[in-house]
Amino acid sequence: MKPEPIWIHSSRQMAAVASLRQSSLPSGKIPHLFHYEGLRQSQLWMEVARAHAPNTESTYHKIFQVAREWMGDEPIHVVGLGAGGASKERKLLEGLTKPQFTPVDVSDSLALLSAQQTRDLTEQPPKPLVADLLAYPDLPEWLDEFDSGRKRLFTAFGLTPNTAPSELLPVLRGFLRPEDALLVSANLFTSVDDVMSQYDNPETRAWLSQVLIDWGIRDRLSKPAFRWGEIDGQTAVIAESRWLEDADLEWEGEMFHVEQSQVLRLFFSIRYTRETFDKVLSANQLQPKSGATGGDYICLVER
């Protein structure tokens, strides 16, 4: 089988990853990208999605129709930000004629999977890119080398729950040229019990615990627990573990101290209403033009 090319941005190369990892435990917060790093973590995440993600197929079908009308007959370059396995992007690409597709993900396994799952639908083989979007402001310049001036449609499915809007939305806006658009989704708040059951379950606990196993600290921490809180003023489910005893730990060549019951935040997931999401988009000079609601809220956005 012919080897497949994959581009790895400096934000996901050894020095950057080691620096981010070193700061995570002393800060009391594990960056979300570490939950997608390895093959096992990617597999566990896909198990969570299969078991607990709501059925939003009809919602995405509606907004994809809107997006295709926006594109018209022009050649289009679809850029999947946080593409995962590209299952949603594939549905979008199926309705296009000779599109170009670039999957972008923090996980090399998922970026390659996205390319493999869509190559039969694109004019040229997809070019998977591994990058930390929050540390990659030069993405538009990189894309300019590959899309021959095509109009771009960015997709950002599943990014807004796990990234503070003050960090993510300015970055997404910076990716868009005046002629481009963005399809972005938000997880909606339904009821306390319905939402919490999507997280407080064995599959999600296993996924969130894998990084602790990989880092050799699982036995020093309690099992993940879930609570309601706020991120950037938005309602969120927060997953935490607590250190089981006082300890001086060596981590990435440096010592740091933890105390019993001190919290380590593993994860958060923001739950919006349609109105609150439109509000944070507008506050970041992103204008929602059309949307569809049903489990998720997905909207077409322009600058």
Side-chain angles (χ1 to χ4, degrees):
M1 182 178 291
K2 184 178 178 181
E4 297 189 38
I6 184 169
W7 280 257
I8 301 180
H9 184 254
S10 59
S11 63
R12 294 299 294 145
Q13 293 176 10
M14 186 175 294
V17 173
S19 176
L20 190 60
R21 174 178 154 128
Q22 193 283 325
S23 65
S24 60
L25 292 187
S27 73
K29 301 173 184 177
I30 293 184
H32 287 173
L33 60 85
F34 286 115
H35 292 299
Y36 305 90
E37 272 211 313
L39 179 60
R40 179 58 178 155
Q41 288 160 316
S42 298
Q43 290 172 330
L44 288 170
W45 170 77
M46 287 190 286
E47 289 176 14
V48 171
R50 282 194 292 267
H52 300 288
N55 185 351
T56 56
E57 184 174 347
S58 63
T59 312
Y60 280 88
H61 177 75
K62 291 175 186 175
I63 201 65
F64 287 166
Q65 289 295 107
V66 172
R68 292 179 187 121
E69 292 174 7
W70 171 83
M71 287 181 272
D73 297 327
E74 295 184 51
I76 196 75
H77 183 182
V78 177
V79 183
L81 303 176
S87 59
K88 295 180 177 66
E89 285 82 0
R90 180 175 175 84
K91 293 291 185 182
L92 171 64
L93 294 169
E94 284 174 349
L96 303 179
T97 302
K98 295 184 177 180
Q100 187 172 347
F101 180 53
T102 298
V104 185
D105 205 278
V106 296
S107 165
D108 54 0
S109 300
L110 293 174
L112 278 170
L113 177 62
S114 296
Q116 292 164 356
Q117 296 287 8
T118 55
R119 73 152 53 93
D120 61 314
L121 300 173
T122 59
E123 186 175 36
Q124 303 171 353
K127 296 179 172 65
L129 172 65
V130 182
D132 178 357
L133 295 177
L134 300 184
Y136 194 6
D138 48 341
L139 175 62
E141 288 73 22
W142 186 86
L143 293 173
D144 284 342
E145 301 180 23
F146 296 104
D147 67 3
S148 304
R150 291 184 180 215
K151 187 162 66 171
R152 296 175 191 147
L153 177 66
F154 291 84
T155 63
F157 303 138
L159 292 181
T160 60
N162 310 134
T163 315
S166 61
E167 296 179 345
L168 177 64
L169 297 181
V171 172
L172 295 183
R173 183 181 185 278
F175 292 163
L176 299 179
R177 302 171 302 189
E179 64 271 25
D180 297 336
L182 166 71
L183 282 176
V184 59
S185 69
N187 288 354
L188 294 181
F189 181 88
T190 50
S191 72
V192 169
D193 291 339
D194 287 346
V195 170
M196 189 59 76
S197 67
Q198 295 174 25
Y199 304 95
D200 193 356
N201 55 68
E203 292 82 6
T204 302
R205 283 199 187 89
W207 172 52
L208 296 179
S209 296
Q210 186 62 44
V211 68
L212 306 180
I213 295 170
D214 292 345
W215 289 5
I217 58 173
R218 178 67 187 87
D219 292 340
R220 292 180 174 272
L221 290 152
S222 67
K223 294 180 180 179
F226 300 85
R227 66 174 179 86
W228 288 100
E230 287 191 353
I231 301 293
D232 267 12
Q234 305 298 324
T235 302
V237 175
I238 298 175
E240 300 168 331
S241 288
R242 295 181 180 273
W243 295 96
L244 297 177
E245 60 183 5
D246 295 356
D248 292 307
L249 302 177
E250 182 178 356
W251 180 245
E252 298 292 307
E254 296 186 10
M255 300 298 298
F256 76 103
H257 179 75
V258 296
E259 296 183 359
Q260 185 178 7
S261 295
Q262 185 177 333
V263 168
L264 177 64
R265 191 181 77 190
L266 306 178
F267 171 84
F268 64 79
S269 182
I270 300 172
R271 308 295 295 214
Y272 292 94
T273 66
R274 181 166 180 161
E275 292 73 21
T276 58
F277 192 57
D278 281 350
K279 185 176 180 179
V280 297
L281 288 173
S282 297
N284 286 276
Q285 293 78 52
L286 292 167
Q287 305 306 319
K289 297 297 182 181
S290 184
T293 304
D296 286 353
Y297 170 41
I298 312 105
C299 56
L300 181 73
V301 171
E302 296 178 339
R303 288 181 58 175

